[in-house]
Every structure is written in structure tokens, then in C-alpha cells.
Amino acid sequence: MQQYDLPDASGHFGAYGGIFVAETLMAALEELKAEYARAKADPAFWAEYRHELAHYVGRPSPVYHARRWSEALGGAQIYLKREDLNHTGAHKVNNTIGQALLARRMGKKRVIAETGAGQHGVASATVAARYGMECVVYMGSEDIKRQSPNVYRMKLLGATVVPVESGSRTLKDALNEAMRDWVTNVDSTFYILGTAAGPHPYPMMVRDFQRVIGEECKVQMPELIGRQPDVVVACVGGGSNAIGLFHPYIDVPDVRIVGVEAGGEGLQGVRHAAPLSAGTPGVLHGFRGYLMQDADGQIMETHSVSAGLDYPGVGPEHCYLKDIGRAEYTAVDDDEALRAFHDCCRLEGIIPALESSHALAWAAKAAPAMGRDQVILVNLSGRGDKDINTIAGLSGISL
Amino acid sequence: MSRIAECFNRLAGHKALIPFITAGDPNPKLTVELMHGLVDGGADIIELGVPFSDPMADGPVIQRASERALKHHVSLAQVLDMVATFRLENTYTPVVLMGYLNPVCAMGFQRFAERAAACGVDGVLTVDCPPEEADELTGALVAAGLDPIFLVAPTTPPDRVARIGQLARGYVYYVSLKGVTGAGHLDIAEVTGKIAALRESITVPIGVGFGIRDAETARALSGTADAIVVGSRLVQEIEAAEPQAAKQRLARLVAELKSAIR
């Protein structure tokens, strides 16, 4: 395989990515691109980033052998990359620390963020408190209902949570509203985008800050099993935890890469959130990528039991990896994800996020058909405490 | 010569008024009537919004207009049909489609440009398609005889202004403030100064819009700008009116704005 070195200078991963925003934001993105290039070349920037990850986040996160679950499935050994053990309970903080350090370099005192499940909102509010910045988080009013513990958490951390009432009142609408805020307050404000999507340089920048996941795994797996895993798997909404795990493995040809989208109520209908599995390319939120859209190019409302995957687009690098065949993308539905959620709780004593449960569900389906000496590494991207109201509700229990 | 260039020629230094409404708002049956109402009031060019599910650059007023239109499933193809119907009675008022890139992508650039030209569209402004990404679309538009309209913002640095000036046809749309459509207060002195500076590298007429809410602001800006774009204020009028009264109310408001910039 040729050396993989994307995006190109204008932010393209093959046909995907780019910069599709209104003119007012072009200068801000140019400024961000230039400052990130300087930071990227500055050892002091990375030294501080690594110091924060070690002492504030608690990295490296361990890799754990899910022995009982693997035995119960009777096939491949399942290993979990424990991003759920990070401070704030998910992989999101790897990125918010990087972007907040960048915001500080740029002298921006106010940060804004969009959030779906609330994990990125919490991670943004956290770093804003840590670095003494004002923080405003946009969140769809539907998601506010689904994820009330995280809403309160953000408020405790001093952030302002703004409910978004437009469109489908979920993550995509929160992103629209964050962009509107940014365009209005572009001089004072840094937009901490939460996933590996949006206009260039965000997909590249978010990936670079999440790469630590895969880089650690590349060291940890040989220590644990004497080699790299046969498969790495992660859930894909916008795709930041997945690209963080996948990217360091792209040039390791023997490692199979699998991204798992939210199949919702099934791919045959429209109640899902799986643009790579069942969508078509288009332009939304500043980049070109696969989208859930109708024949007229209107963005469709998506559905997933997990708010963090309930997004009609997917980061441009995943689109490219799909097209060149280096990664494969598939979907698991709500029921399969919920089953994996419960199995992980009872067999391993770990309550996984509903998002991560999609990746777990794929592993649980694939493992029995694989040999006992084979290894699946799952990115357990977040913990499920935030989801207990949803799970209880589905079981007819009110907490 | 394009219909837009002809229009500015005809005005011979007088200022153009460019009202904006969203196609299909409040319902698709009314749009062509409302367009005629705009012309009755004194519109020189019409900007017709193509509804989109995720209007990232728009404030709440035009977001709501998009949502009302999409309740009726108004598609880009239908918007083109509306322009064709408008052209049955009006062959002189230029029509510029303003919207987002994705519906155009879905139709295909080539097919869109050809159909738009055949229906009597004169210019196309895709808000989320900056010059860096516009080559393919611009090529298709120009080949079909349509004017690609570009935005210039208060944040646009001089070298970009020059580049946009080279690509621009019809007119350049100067965004008067940092914000979304229909936003707060614009600083007239600042906008006037900016427009004067733009003239150094932009040869086509310069329209100004975003946040022009009344005749007084329109008059103040018409001192330096070649055209005044008013959108959210008109859409509010549609929102507040009974459907049968909307045409008259639009015409009255447009006439008021037009007389202010004469």
C-alpha cells in the first residue's frame, strides 16, 4: 500500500471533505488551519497535550480481555479498549483538550460546542472549566430529554446549555445552531467541533487528537498477546472514536478494520442512522460525505436508540476508507445493540455506552464464527451511566 | 448580455432593489403570485430561496420559511417549475436562486444548470459553496449562460476579494454583518467604507444584504451599494399575513423600500 497521507492541502480525502461554509467563516477556518499547522509543528504543544492526557484524563486507558464474554461466545477473544475509563467517561475529552489548548493559543476566551448524547458537551464544558473559558453548548431539545444527566453535568461545570428547537431537534440541528453562533461571534469564539466531520481542518484535527487511542493499542496489544489484533472495530456516528482507533492501523495490512453504524429499526426502512451502509454522497455541515438524504437532497431525520449515533452524516475520512476498501462498514440495529449492552453489563461488569454497544454487538455476532486464537479489539468508547434512564425506560421502569 | 447585466444597464446608476422570498412559503401555489407582487412593488431582481432542511447560514425567520415550504415537500425541481411559470408573464425581471449546495448536488450540476437556464433562471447563489469548491458548479452554470453569484463577507481578506472579483458575474453579494440572515444591528458607516474598498477589485455591481430591516437603512446603504437585498423582513411579512393578503402586503413594503433608495 502507498503511504497514506490524507487529507491533501485543501482538506480532501479523495472526493470527500473540503470546505463548504458561508464566506463569513472562510477566514476563521483559514486562521484555524494556520494556527493548527503551527501547533502541530510545536513540540511544546504536544508535550502539554500529552501531559494533560496523562494527569487530567488518566491515559493511557487500559486494554481489557473480556474473558467471560469471549468464553460464552465460544470463538474469537474480545478485547476492549477502555475509553470509558477516561475522565468524563468517553473518548471525547481527547479531542476537547487538544482543541481547548489550540483555542488558548489563539487567545479565544469563549468556546462553543454541539452535542448529541451530551458526552462531547460534557467534555467541552470540562475543559472550559479547566482552562477558564466561557462555554456554550448547543443541544437538540429531543436529546436534552433523552440525556438529562449529562445536561445537568454540563451546568454543574459552568456551561450554558442552549436547547435547539429547529428541525429534528437532534445533533444535526445542534450543529447548525453552533455554526450560526460561530458566524455571529467569529472574532471571540472558538468552535470545538466534537466529531471527525465538518469543514477542513476539523476532520484532520479531530482525528489527530483521537489517534492516541489507536497508537496506545498498537503498543498495548503486542504486550498482551504478542501481536496486533485480527480485527479492530468501533461504532461510527460522525466517526471520531472510530478514526482514532483506525488511523494508526491503516498501514498495518493484516488488521481488518470494521466500522459499525446505527441500524436503528433496520436498514430496509428509513428509521436508522447509517449513511455509509445505506446513504449517498452529498454536502452537509461544511464537508462532502455520505449522507442520509432523500432524492431531492433534503437531509432525512435519523433514528437510533443511541443519541450519539443519531446523525445523518459521517466524517469524510471514513467515506474515503469505505470507497478504497481499506475499512468495511456495516450496521447493527437497536435490538442487537441493547442485547450487547446487557451482556456486557452482566458478563463483564462494565456498563457500556449505547453508542459503543453497537461495536460490541458486531463483535458478539462475529466472534462465534472465528477461531479461539483470533482477537477482536473493540473500542469501548464510553461508559453507559448516561444511558440508564433510556434503558430503564425501554424496560418500562421509571427511575 | 445576461438579464442581470441588462437590468443594471437599464437602471443606469439608479439603485436596484432585490427582494428575497423562499419558494413554497407559505405554500407552493402562492409563490409565482408573490413574485409578481414583488415586481408590482418595484423589485428589480428577485432572489428566490430554495428550501433546505439544514439552512446553516439563516436566522430563525428564513429557517421557518424553509420549514413551511418543506411541509409541502417543495423540491428544487418544483422551484425551477415556478420560475418557468413566472416567465410566462415576465421576461425581464432577473431571477436568482439562493440556497444550499446539497439539493443542487442531488440533481447533478450539469442537469441543474441546463434545466435552470431553460426555466428562465438568471443567477445562482449557493451559500455554502465558496470559490475554492465551486469550479465544477461554476463551470456548469457559465456554460449554461447563468451567472454564478458569490458572497463577500466583512471577514474576507483583500486577496480573496480580488479572487472572488475575478469569478463573479451578475453582481457580488456583500454580507453586511457577521451573523446569520436577519440578524441584529449593522454598522452603516463600516459597511459603507467596506463597499468603497471592494470597488478596487470588483467590477460587477455590488449588492448588500443581511440585516436590512427598514427603508431608512436601505436608503443609507444605497449611497454606496448598487443594490439592496431585503429578505427576512419580507419573509416576516408573509408569515404575518393571511395568504390572500400576502401579495398586496409584499408589494406595499417593496414599494416603500424602493422609493427609499431612489
Side-chain angles (χ1 to χ4, degrees), chain A residues 72-96:
Chain A
L73 293 165
Q77 303 305 305
I78 295 175
Y79 283 75
L80 307 177
K81 176 62 172 169
R82 298 291 307 274
E83 291 298 298
D84 61 314
L85 295 178
N86 290 342
H87 178 42
T88 74
H91 71 289
K92 293 290 187 188
V93 72
N94 304 328
N95 170 47
T96 59

Side-chain angles (χ1 to χ4, degrees), chain B residues 110-186:
Chain B
Q110 184 82 22
R111 187 153 157 255
F112 164 72
E114 284 162 10
R115 286 176 68 173
C119 291
V121 171
D122 301 288
V124 176
L125 198 179
T126 39
V127 177
D128 56 348
C129 189
E132 284 81 352
E133 301 283 356
D135 285 355
E136 203 188 328
L137 174 60
T138 306
L141 293 176
V142 171
L146 299 173
D147 289 334
I149 313 285
F150 286 98
L151 297 171
V152 171
T155 52
T156 307
D159 55 327
R160 270 182 74 80
V161 173
R163 188 167 166 205
I164 293 168
Q166 281 164 5
L167 294 169
R169 301 198 182 198
Y171 57 95
V172 155
Y173 187 138
Y174 182 69
V175 176
S176 61
L177 47 79
K178 293 170 195 159
V180 292
T181 53
H185 304 289
L186 57 82

Side-chain angles (χ1 to χ4, degrees), chain A residues 4 11 16 70 84 95 112 141-142 167 189 192 212 215 254 338:
Chain A
Y4 181 92
Y16 306 107
S70 303
D84 61 314
N95 170 47
I112 56 171
S141 58
E142 272 304 308
T189 297
I192 302 184
V212 62
E215 280 166 358
D254 294 338
L338 286 165

Side-chain angles (χ1 to χ4, degrees), chain A residues 12 18-24 26-27 166-167 172 176 180 183-184 186-187 282-285 293 296-299, chain B residues 51-56 58 63 67 70 75 101-103 106 127-128 130 132-133 151 153 155-156 160 164 178-180:
Chain A
H12 294 93
I19 303 183
F20 294 89
V21 297
E23 179 60 28
T24 311
M26 289 303 291
S166 57
K172 81 172 176 79
N176 290 333
R180 291 179 189 125
V183 92
T184 307
V186 63
D187 297 328
V283 173
L284 179 70
H285 292 152
Q293 58 179 328
D296 297 328
Q298 305 295 347
I299 308 308
Chain B
F52 183 50
S53 51
D54 294 78
M56 230 165 57
D58 284 301
Q63 287 175 45
E67 284 178 20
L70 289 175
S75 65
L101 191 57
N102 200 52
V127 177
D128 56 348
E132 284 81 352
E133 301 283 356
L151 297 171
T155 52
T156 307
R160 270 182 74 80
I164 293 168
K178 293 170 195 159
V180 292

Side-chain angles (χ1 to χ4, degrees), chain A residues 16 274-283 289-295 297 312, chain B residues 102 106:
Chain A
Y16 306 107
L276 287 166
S277 305
T280 50
V283 173
Y290 282 85
L291 299 176
M292 300 275 297
Q293 58 179 328
D294 67 17
Chain B
N102 200 52

Side-chain angles (χ1 to χ4, degrees), chain A residues 294 296-299, chain B residues 20-28 31 47-56 58 62-80 82-83 96-104 106 125:
Chain A
D294 67 17
D296 297 328
Q298 305 295 347
I299 308 308
Chain B
F20 167 100
I21 58 172
T22 298
D25 172 35
N27 69 67
T31 300
E47 279 187 2
L48 190 60
V50 180
F52 183 50
S53 51
D54 294 78
M56 230 165 57
D58 284 301
I62 293 175
Q63 287 175 45
R64 287 198 299 270
S66 241
E67 284 178 20
R68 285 192 293 272
L70 289 175
K71 277 208 181 99
H72 298 280
H73 306 286
V74 173
S75 65
L76 178 55
Q78 276 172 275
V79 176
L80 295 179
M82 291 173 190
V83 177
V96 172
L97 296 187
M98 182 168 179
Y100 295 80
L101 191 57
N102 200 52
V104 179
L125 198 179

Side-chain angles (χ1 to χ4, degrees), chain A residues 159-196:
Chain A
T160 305
V161 180
V162 180
V164 176
E165 302 287 354
S166 57
S168 57
R169 302 180 178 85
T170 61
L171 177 55
K172 81 172 176 79
D173 310 287
L175 217 154
N176 290 333
E177 209 54 40
M179 285 279 190
R180 291 179 189 125
D181 179 312
W182 197 28
V183 92
T184 307
N185 302 293
V186 63
D187 297 328
S188 67
T189 297
F190 188 101
Y191 180 16
I192 302 184
L193 214 156
T195 194

